[in-house]
Amino acid sequence: MMELNSVEEEELAPWRSPLAKAIHKNKSLTYARYLQLATVTPEGQPTNRTIVFRGFLHQTNQLKFITDSRSQKVEQIEKNPWGEVCWYFPKTREQFRLKGKLTLVKADNPHPKLAKARQTTWQEISDNARQQFTWPNPGKTRVQAGAFELAPPDLANPLFNFCLLLLDPTKVEHLELTGEPQNRWLYQIDIYRTWSSEAINP
Amino acid sequence: MMELNSVEEEELAPWRSPLAKAIHKNKSLTYARYLQLATVTPEGQPTNRTIVFRGFLHQTNQLKFITDSRSQKVEQIEKNPWGEVCWYFPKTREQFRLKGKLTLVKADNPHPKLAKARQTTWQEISDNARQQFTWPNPGKTRVQAGAFELAPPDLANPLFNFCLLLLDPTKVEHLELTGEPQNRWLYQIDIYRTWSSEAINP
């Protein structure tokens, strides 16, 4: 079992302001909320897929995503909680890389704040996104189309296989391709959860 | 040392045609040639960064990229050659995930075909891309602006730190978000280097 990440209230990390600016300046592009999450398989191989940013966990620096408990990344994360997301913003030509530990918030999560966040996230996502949790087992041999036509799930209570996924960054890199020559910053957290930042060579 | 991947001529893999279509249909977006490469650190943590697709190695199914021998991914790849790229195409709303072994083609590569491919790639990239290989050590504490103003490098001969990076996919997943409900295919290679494909649940 993984440790729970801290869910204490925390101050905004110094990378939150440049990231918020990038999100704002790219908001006309739906896909600027898509980013790529890398995890590691039990065999030590990298895996990588596109996921959708769902905002920050209230009063923390943890990024929210959603996933299906039947997906391969859940098994990977349970064995190795490290993840790195790579987030490229096309309009402003900048990239954020955020590395940290992932927390899966499943149906049986005992922490009231996390259980509540899982339920709230379920209610905030689109009908289409919710519907996908009624679909047959992802990644298995394709079944007939009818199996994808179940009734819409209950809005009040998340389906059992709905997971909230949290990333608690401990290292963040920000690259601006538009600088002269380019600008790149490294943010790191220490054991007291204090952030430092440094300009580095692109 | 890594084994060299096969550089024999090979038939087009079955995922080449859908990938070629996606590249073609998204070609109005410069950043549709950007994708994210995940590798694993010696500590077993995932890393993830945006790289630029540079075409296929002649008469093979290997994807070409470039990298600086001083970058952290080179050290990672030398210890663990597995990589997975995630390639999202915004215009057609589809994703390819390609997993395989990576080959670094450095200045001392003894294989004539690979050494030639490294040189040709150096000549094909933009002046700006070539210039970056004259820059100070990437990822180190930022040095003053003057250090980024060296004379343009020789077009005929790649700088020593210029690496060609090849990905030889052995597993490819293709997801179309626009399907009803969605379409997803899995392509896998067997020990005889024969590809199979299967429709899977999204």
Side-chain angles (χ1 to χ4, degrees), chain A residues 14-28:
Chain A
W15 47 268
R16 288 288 298 275
S17 166
L19 179 58
K21 277 185 199 137
I23 293 170
H24 180 75
K25 287 184 184 166
N26 288 267
K27 70 169 188 268
S28 64

PDB file of all heavy atoms in Angstrom, chain A residues 14-28:
ATOM      1  N   PRO A  14       5.994  28.087  -5.786  1.00  0.00           N
ATOM      2  CA  PRO A  14       6.411  29.174  -6.691  1.00  0.00           C
ATOM      3  C   PRO A  14       6.165  28.887  -8.169  1.00  0.00           C
ATOM      4  O   PRO A  14       6.114  29.816  -8.969  1.00  0.00           O
ATOM      5  CB  PRO A  14       7.908  29.340  -6.381  1.00  0.00           C
ATOM      6  CG  PRO A  14       8.326  28.070  -5.722  1.00  0.00           C
ATOM      7  CD  PRO A  14       7.117  27.552  -5.001  1.00  0.00           C
ATOM      8  N   TRP A  15       6.007  27.617  -8.570  1.00  0.00           N
ATOM      9  CA  TRP A  15       5.724  27.295  -9.972  1.00  0.00           C
ATOM     10  C   TRP A  15       4.244  27.432 -10.296  1.00  0.00           C
ATOM     11  O   TRP A  15       3.851  27.346 -11.466  1.00  0.00           O
ATOM     12  CB  TRP A  15       6.215  25.879 -10.306  1.00  0.00           C
ATOM     13  CG  TRP A  15       5.811  24.834  -9.293  1.00  0.00           C
ATOM     14  CD1 TRP A  15       6.534  24.435  -8.210  1.00  0.00           C
ATOM     15  CD2 TRP A  15       4.576  24.094  -9.248  1.00  0.00           C
ATOM     16  NE1 TRP A  15       5.829  23.490  -7.488  1.00  0.00           N
ATOM     17  CE2 TRP A  15       4.633  23.260  -8.105  1.00  0.00           C
ATOM     18  CE3 TRP A  15       3.439  24.047 -10.053  1.00  0.00           C
ATOM     19  CZ2 TRP A  15       3.592  22.392  -7.744  1.00  0.00           C
ATOM     20  CZ3 TRP A  15       2.396  23.188  -9.699  1.00  0.00           C
ATOM     21  CH2 TRP A  15       2.482  22.384  -8.558  1.00  0.00           C
ATOM     22  N   ARG A  16       3.401  27.660  -9.284  1.00  0.00           N
ATOM     23  CA  ARG A  16       1.960  27.764  -9.546  1.00  0.00           C
ATOM     24  C   ARG A  16       1.618  29.002 -10.377  1.00  0.00           C
ATOM     25  O   ARG A  16       0.726  28.951 -11.228  1.00  0.00           O
ATOM     26  CB  ARG A  16       1.186  27.789  -8.228  1.00  0.00           C
ATOM     27  CG  ARG A  16       1.156  26.457  -7.500  1.00  0.00           C
ATOM     28  CD  ARG A  16       0.273  25.460  -8.208  1.00  0.00           C
ATOM     29  NE  ARG A  16      -1.116  25.876  -8.293  1.00  0.00           N
ATOM     30  CZ  ARG A  16      -2.022  25.681  -7.335  1.00  0.00           C
ATOM     31  NH1 ARG A  16      -1.689  25.040  -6.224  1.00  0.00           N
ATOM     32  NH2 ARG A  16      -3.264  26.104  -7.485  1.00  0.00           N
ATOM     33  N   SER A  17       2.322  30.112 -10.112  1.00  0.00           N
ATOM     34  CA  SER A  17       2.011  31.345 -10.843  1.00  0.00           C
ATOM     35  C   SER A  17       2.360  31.225 -12.343  1.00  0.00           C
ATOM     36  O   SER A  17       1.498  31.476 -13.192  1.00  0.00           O
ATOM     37  CB  SER A  17       2.718  32.524 -10.162  1.00  0.00           C
ATOM     38  OG  SER A  17       2.718  33.636 -10.992  1.00  0.00           O
ATOM     39  N   PRO A  18       3.587  30.799 -12.727  1.00  0.00           N
ATOM     40  CA  PRO A  18       3.845  30.623 -14.168  1.00  0.00           C
ATOM     41  C   PRO A  18       2.948  29.566 -14.810  1.00  0.00           C
ATOM     42  O   PRO A  18       2.526  29.726 -15.967  1.00  0.00           O
ATOM     43  CB  PRO A  18       5.328  30.216 -14.245  1.00  0.00           C
ATOM     44  CG  PRO A  18       5.772  29.942 -12.852  1.00  0.00           C
ATOM     45  CD  PRO A  18       4.832  30.649 -11.927  1.00  0.00           C
ATOM     46  N   LEU A  19       2.598  28.522 -14.074  1.00  0.00           N
ATOM     47  CA  LEU A  19       1.711  27.499 -14.642  1.00  0.00           C
ATOM     48  C   LEU A  19       0.294  28.069 -14.856  1.00  0.00           C
ATOM     49  O   LEU A  19      -0.328  27.839 -15.901  1.00  0.00           O
ATOM     50  CB  LEU A  19       1.666  26.256 -13.737  1.00  0.00           C
ATOM     51  CG  LEU A  19       0.749  25.113 -14.200  1.00  0.00           C
ATOM     52  CD1 LEU A  19       1.116  24.612 -15.598  1.00  0.00           C
ATOM     53  CD2 LEU A  19       0.790  23.949 -13.197  1.00  0.00           C
ATOM     54  N   ALA A  20      -0.180  28.843 -13.873  1.00  0.00           N
ATOM     55  CA  ALA A  20      -1.514  29.458 -14.010  1.00  0.00           C
ATOM     56  C   ALA A  20      -1.545  30.399 -15.221  1.00  0.00           C
ATOM     57  O   ALA A  20      -2.518  30.430 -15.974  1.00  0.00           O
ATOM     58  CB  ALA A  20      -1.885  30.212 -12.733  1.00  0.00           C
ATOM     59  N   LYS A  21      -0.452  31.148 -15.427  1.00  0.00           N
ATOM     60  CA  LYS A  21      -0.374  32.039 -16.595  1.00  0.00           C
ATOM     61  C   LYS A  21      -0.445  31.247 -17.891  1.00  0.00           C
ATOM     62  O   LYS A  21      -1.124  31.632 -18.841  1.00  0.00           O
ATOM     63  CB  LYS A  21       0.927  32.850 -16.567  1.00  0.00           C
ATOM     64  CG  LYS A  21       0.824  34.082 -15.703  1.00  0.00           C
ATOM     65  CD  LYS A  21       2.111  34.927 -15.809  1.00  0.00           C
ATOM     66  CE  LYS A  21       2.180  35.866 -14.609  1.00  0.00           C
ATOM     67  NZ  LYS A  21       3.517  35.943 -14.013  1.00  0.00           N
ATOM     68  N   ALA A  22       0.296  30.153 -17.955  1.00  0.00           N
ATOM     69  CA  ALA A  22       0.297  29.322 -19.173  1.00  0.00           C
ATOM     70  C   ALA A  22      -1.103  28.766 -19.444  1.00  0.00           C
ATOM     71  O   ALA A  22      -1.587  28.794 -20.581  1.00  0.00           O
ATOM     72  CB  ALA A  22       1.320  28.190 -19.040  1.00  0.00           C
ATOM     73  N   ILE A  23      -1.758  28.265 -18.406  1.00  0.00           N
ATOM     74  CA  ILE A  23      -3.112  27.719 -18.575  1.00  0.00           C
ATOM     75  C   ILE A  23      -4.047  28.816 -19.090  1.00  0.00           C
ATOM     76  O   ILE A  23      -4.820  28.607 -20.026  1.00  0.00           O
ATOM     77  CB  ILE A  23      -3.632  27.131 -17.233  1.00  0.00           C
ATOM     78  CG1 ILE A  23      -2.807  25.897 -16.841  1.00  0.00           C
ATOM     79  CG2 ILE A  23      -5.116  26.793 -17.321  1.00  0.00           C
ATOM     80  CD1 ILE A  23      -3.069  25.374 -15.428  1.00  0.00           C
ATOM     81  N   HIS A  24      -3.929  29.992 -18.494  1.00  0.00           N
ATOM     82  CA  HIS A  24      -4.801  31.099 -18.897  1.00  0.00           C
ATOM     83  C   HIS A  24      -4.558  31.510 -20.353  1.00  0.00           C
ATOM     84  O   HIS A  24      -5.495  31.653 -21.131  1.00  0.00           O
ATOM     85  CB  HIS A  24      -4.585  32.278 -17.956  1.00  0.00           C
ATOM     86  CG  HIS A  24      -5.442  33.454 -18.305  1.00  0.00           C
ATOM     87  ND1 HIS A  24      -6.787  33.488 -18.039  1.00  0.00           N
ATOM     88  CD2 HIS A  24      -5.149  34.613 -18.935  1.00  0.00           C
ATOM     89  CE1 HIS A  24      -7.294  34.627 -18.486  1.00  0.00           C
ATOM     90  NE2 HIS A  24      -6.324  35.332 -19.037  1.00  0.00           N
ATOM     91  N   LYS A  25      -3.296  31.684 -20.706  1.00  0.00           N
ATOM     92  CA  LYS A  25      -2.973  32.167 -22.063  1.00  0.00           C
ATOM     93  C   LYS A  25      -3.303  31.144 -23.149  1.00  0.00           C
ATOM     94  O   LYS A  25      -3.382  31.486 -24.324  1.00  0.00           O
ATOM     95  CB  LYS A  25      -1.490  32.523 -22.157  1.00  0.00           C
ATOM     96  CG  LYS A  25      -1.124  33.806 -21.425  1.00  0.00           C
ATOM     97  CD  LYS A  25       0.349  34.117 -21.674  1.00  0.00           C
ATOM     98  CE  LYS A  25       0.801  35.329 -20.877  1.00  0.00           C
ATOM     99  NZ  LYS A  25       2.286  35.416 -20.856  1.00  0.00           N
ATOM    100  N   ASN A  26      -3.417  29.873 -22.778  1.00  0.00           N
ATOM    101  CA  ASN A  26      -3.700  28.822 -23.766  1.00  0.00           C
ATOM    102  C   ASN A  26      -5.143  28.334 -23.692  1.00  0.00           C
ATOM    103  O   ASN A  26      -5.497  27.336 -24.320  1.00  0.00           O
ATOM    104  CB  ASN A  26      -2.752  27.633 -23.548  1.00  0.00           C
ATOM    105  CG  ASN A  26      -1.319  27.940 -23.973  1.00  0.00           C
ATOM    106  OD1 ASN A  26      -0.940  27.673 -25.100  1.00  0.00           O
ATOM    107  ND2 ASN A  26      -0.540  28.535 -23.087  1.00  0.00           N
ATOM    108  N   LYS A  27      -5.973  29.061 -22.939  1.00  0.00           N
ATOM    109  CA  LYS A  27      -7.288  28.482 -22.642  1.00  0.00           C
ATOM    110  C   LYS A  27      -8.216  28.356 -23.844  1.00  0.00           C
ATOM    111  O   LYS A  27      -9.187  27.589 -23.805  1.00  0.00           O
ATOM    112  CB  LYS A  27      -7.962  29.202 -21.468  1.00  0.00           C
ATOM    113  CG  LYS A  27      -8.417  30.613 -21.742  1.00  0.00           C
ATOM    114  CD  LYS A  27      -9.307  31.075 -20.574  1.00  0.00           C
ATOM    115  CE  LYS A  27      -9.960  32.401 -20.887  1.00  0.00           C
ATOM    116  NZ  LYS A  27      -9.195  33.553 -20.421  1.00  0.00           N
ATOM    117  N   SER A  28      -7.891  29.040 -24.954  1.00  0.00           N
ATOM    118  CA  SER A  28      -8.716  28.880 -26.161  1.00  0.00           C
ATOM    119  C   SER A  28      -8.532  27.497 -26.797  1.00  0.00           C
ATOM    120  O   SER A  28      -9.338  27.091 -27.628  1.00  0.00           O
ATOM    121  CB  SER A  28      -8.378  29.961 -27.182  1.00  0.00           C
ATOM    122  OG  SER A  28      -7.042  29.817 -27.610  1.00  0.00           O
TER     123      SER A  28
END
